[in-house]
Amino acid sequence: MNRRSKARLRHQIRAMRRVVAGKDPAAAAALLPKTFSIIDRSAKIGIIKKNTAARYKSKLHLKLKALQGAAK
């Protein structure tokens, strides 16, 4: 169970980073809620610590905002 949850977390974060690197703000904005949900659930069940989850979310959100700013 833990291995599957951790793998899901890693894959989702990796997918989000790929979309941001691909410079597609619409796809990144669509993927953000699902990514945040998986990060929050991982922190809740103890896969990652609460501060680590906050850091992941903050970094991803900053990258998305920069991408949206560059797209305008």
Side-chain angles (χ1 to χ4, degrees):
M1 186 67 179
N2 282 346
R3 178 180 282 180
R4 184 173 58 190
S5 296
K6 192 161 190 160
R8 181 183 298 152
L9 172 69
R10 281 196 320 264
H11 287 291
Q12 188 66 33
I13 290 173
R14 199 174 295 143
M16 182 71 187
R17 287 179 179 156
R18 278 194 194 116
V19 170
V20 170
K23 303 208 186 300
D24 187 1
L31 198 59
L32 193 70
K34 183 179 179 188
T35 304
F36 277 13
S37 175
I38 290 175
I39 291 171
D40 287 335
R41 275 187 273 149
S42 296
K44 183 178 178 184
I45 63 175
I47 300 297
I48 56 175
K49 293 183 178 180
K50 185 175 72 168
N51 287 344
T52 303
R55 187 176 64 243
Y56 282 157
K57 289 167 59 176
S58 174
K59 294 285 186 179
L60 290 173
H61 194 252
L62 284 172
K63 287 179 183 180
L64 175 64
K65 287 294 183 185
L67 183 63
Q68 288 174 338
K72 289 183 181 180

